[in-house]
């Protein structure tokens, strides 16, 4: 080339090449990009050292399965899940920086997390965090179905550099869902049990997850077309479900007695036949989306169709899950305590 020696030309090309590959090298060396459940791409350290959890929704359970619980530097109280904190005592007394939209930014900034996990529903809280230069990974927190939650598992596997464990968890889900479906696939809809999922004593119901949970377990949610709402006793009497399942309240108690003793509900088949059941709470509520949900599917399938699933040993199933995913040897007494919510 005229005016430029070969050596100079080669040097210029080398510099251009370095400039082009530098961002790629920097990302591979120190950060990587992941997509959260809102569809937002965020840049996080490749080797995350500190995580702050600003929501519930099974997030802590996903982190301990695919990551290291010792890297969690803050989260809201987990007293509703005593079995979980027994397995992971390091998560019991962490600083509480608030949750969802109700955040303590002073605490968050003091803890200096590499990433904050919050909900897709925290429309006010998430911007407060990101405007302070901290990446937020948004999780579904109850807005998943039995299929879409796979996307969240894979996203956490990507976030925590443990894609193998996320795929193992998904394979476990597929196995249990297929097992239940194969047992019940010849059962027509008019022979399936109808179910009302009560989230509180005032007959609130949640169909974001409730329809998916009941359907995966072989039942029909009578409120499937309602959306999240409070149901009046007259409507529930019109539906007259075969079974009522009850979620644990945020005070740690079950409102089953309030429902059973409600005089407006005394004519319901489920109440007259003693078919009102509290859903167990293991490392997390079994009737809410979390890694542990397949135990809830099995429990409800066995509750609805005891003869069809007579061979299902819930204690054995629990021990297998807890060992495989929580790395914990669940004792018979612990398993019995989890299952004793209806005694």
């Amino acid at each position: 080339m005229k005016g430029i020696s070969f050596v100079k030309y080669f040097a210029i090309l080398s510099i251009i090449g370095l400039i082009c590959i530098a961002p790629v090298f920097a990302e591979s060396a120190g950060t990587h990009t992941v997509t959260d459940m809102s569809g937002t791409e965020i840049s996080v350290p490749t080797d995350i050292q500190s995580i702050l959890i600003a929501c519930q929704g099974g997030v802590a359970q996903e982190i301990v399965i695919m990551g290291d619980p010792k890297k969690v530097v803050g989260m809201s109280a987990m007293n509703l899940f005593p079995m979980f904190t027994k397995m992971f005592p390091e998560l019991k007394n962490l600083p509480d920086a608030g949750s969802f939209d109700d955040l303590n930014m002073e605490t968050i900034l003091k803890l200096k997390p590499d990433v904050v996990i919050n909900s897709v529903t925290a429309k006010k809280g998430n911007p407060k965090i990101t405007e302070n230069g901290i990446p937020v990974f948004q999780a579904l927190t109850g807005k998943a179905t039995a299929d879409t939650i796979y996307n969240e598992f894979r996203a956490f596997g990507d976030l925590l550099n443990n894609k193998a464990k996320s795929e193992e968890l998904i394979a476990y889900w597929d196995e249990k869902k297929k097992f239940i479906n194969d047992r019940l696939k010849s059962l027509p809809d008019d022979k399936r049990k109808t179910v009302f999922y009560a989230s509180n004593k005032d007959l609130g119901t949640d169909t974001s997850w409730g329809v998916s949970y009941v359907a995966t377990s072989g039942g029909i949610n009578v409120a499937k077309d309602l959306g999240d709402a409070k149901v009046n006793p007259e409507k529930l009497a019109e539906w007259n479900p075969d079974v009522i399942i009850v979620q644990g309240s945020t005070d740690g108690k079950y409102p089953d007695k309030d429902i059973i003793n409600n005089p407006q509900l005394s004519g319901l088949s489920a109440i007259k036949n003693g078919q009102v059941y509290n859903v167990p709470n293991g490392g997390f509520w079994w009737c809410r989306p979390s890694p542990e949900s397949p135990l809830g599917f099995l429990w409800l399938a066995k509750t609805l169709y005891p003869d069809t699933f007579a061979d299902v040993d819930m204690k054995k199933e629990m021990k297998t899950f807890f060992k495989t995913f929580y790395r914990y040897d669940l004792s018979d007494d612990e398993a019995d305590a989890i299952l004793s919510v209806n005694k």
Side-chain angles (χ1 to χ4, degrees):
M1 266 192 182
K2 185 182 289 187
I4 301 178
S5 71
F6 176 79
V7 173
K8 288 182 179 179
Y9 180 66
F10 182 77
I12 291 170
L13 288 178
S14 298
I15 291 169
I16 293 172
L18 286 172
I19 291 171
C20 291
I21 68 170
V24 176
F25 178 79
E27 177 168 346
S28 63
T31 64
H32 72 299
T33 301
V34 299
T35 302
D36 68 15
M37 300 316 297
S38 72
T40 303
E41 289 188 348
I42 62 171
S43 179
V44 294
T46 301
D47 184 15
I48 292 173
Q49 292 300 310
S50 57
I51 302 169
L52 188 140
I53 302 174
C55 58
Q56 295 283 356
V59 163
Q61 289 72 19
E62 288 172 292
I63 289 173
V64 301
I65 289 173
M66 287 170 262
D68 182 354
K70 293 183 175 63
K71 292 184 178 181
V72 179
V73 296
M75 65 186 300
S76 56
M78 296 290 287
N79 54 330
L80 290 175
F81 310 105
M83 189 65 235
F84 187 70
T85 53
K86 183 178 182 179
M87 293 186 290
F88 303 100
E90 60 267 49
L91 300 179
K92 191 171 184 179
N93 296 306
L94 292 174
D96 185 349
S99 58
F100 296 89
D101 288 327
D102 185 15
L103 301 172
N104 185 326
M105 285 307 305
E106 183 180 352
T107 300
I108 293 175
L109 293 173
K110 183 179 178 180
L111 292 171
K112 299 178 180 178
D114 289 334
V115 64
V116 174
I117 314 296
N118 204 357
S119 172
V120 294
T121 65
K123 303 301 184 184
K124 296 179 180 179
N126 292 333
K128 292 179 183 177
I129 302 168
T130 55
E131 68 188 18
N132 281 280
I134 302 172
V136 176
F137 180 95
Q138 299 180 55
L140 291 171
T141 58
K143 301 303 180 183
T145 68
D147 295 320
T148 62
I149 199 169
Y150 288 11
N151 298 329
E152 181 162 303
F153 294 157
R154 289 191 169 107
F156 268 101
D158 192 14
L159 179 74
L160 301 171
N161 290 313
N162 199 348
K163 294 180 181 180
K165 202 65 179 180
S166 68
E167 293 302 325
E168 183 182 0
L169 180 61
I170 289 168
Y172 175 85
W173 273 61
D174 281 340
E175 176 190 337
K176 299 309 173 186
K177 286 161 63 176
K178 183 178 186 302
F179 170 74
I180 294 169
N181 184 63
D182 286 349
R183 287 279 177 99
L184 296 173
K185 62 185 177 183
S186 62
L187 186 66
D189 283 352
D190 61 356
K191 298 295 183 182
R192 290 180 182 256
K193 296 291 183 69
T194 55
V195 180
F196 179 69
Y197 169 38
S199 56
N200 56 52
K201 67 179 180 180
D202 297 319
L203 305 182
T205 190
D206 172 5
T207 56
S208 295
W209 172 256
V211 172
S212 185
Y213 170 46
V214 173
T216 303
S217 307
I220 297 174
N221 189 322
V222 294
K224 64 184 187 314
D225 299 321
L226 185 66
D228 299 347
K230 178 181 175 181
V231 177
N232 62 54
E234 292 77 17
K235 189 62 178 177
L236 191 55
E238 179 185 327
W239 288 331
N240 196 22
D242 298 314
V243 176
I244 296 174
I245 57 172
V246 185
Q247 178 186 346
S249 300
T250 52
D251 61 3
K253 300 177 182 178
Y254 287 91
D256 57 314
K257 295 296 190 295
D258 295 292
I259 293 172
I260 292 170
N261 296 325
N262 185 335
Q264 293 180 287
L265 304 176
S266 61
L268 292 181
S269 296
I271 292 177
K272 290 193 294 185
N273 297 329
Q275 298 289 297
V276 178
Y277 301 97
N278 297 318
V279 183
N281 175 1
F284 195 69
W285 291 310
W286 285 1
C287 57
R288 305 295 296 148
S290 84
E292 210 169 324
S293 297
L295 294 177
F297 301 151
L298 289 169
W299 172 85
L300 183 53
K302 187 176 176 71
T303 298
L304 297 178
Y305 310 104
D307 294 336
T308 304
F309 295 96
D311 60 326
V312 172
D313 184 341
M314 284 305 305
K315 286 170 65 173
K316 181 179 178 181
E317 294 288 345
M318 292 161 67
K319 287 182 177 183
T320 298
F321 181 92
F322 277 58
K323 180 67 174 179
T324 303
F325 296 106
Y326 290 146
R327 305 172 298 282
Y328 184 83
D329 291 311
L330 192 72
S331 70
D332 285 339
D333 287 345
E334 289 167 334
D336 286 336
I338 291 170
L339 294 170
S340 68
V341 292
N342 292 297
K343 294 181 180 179

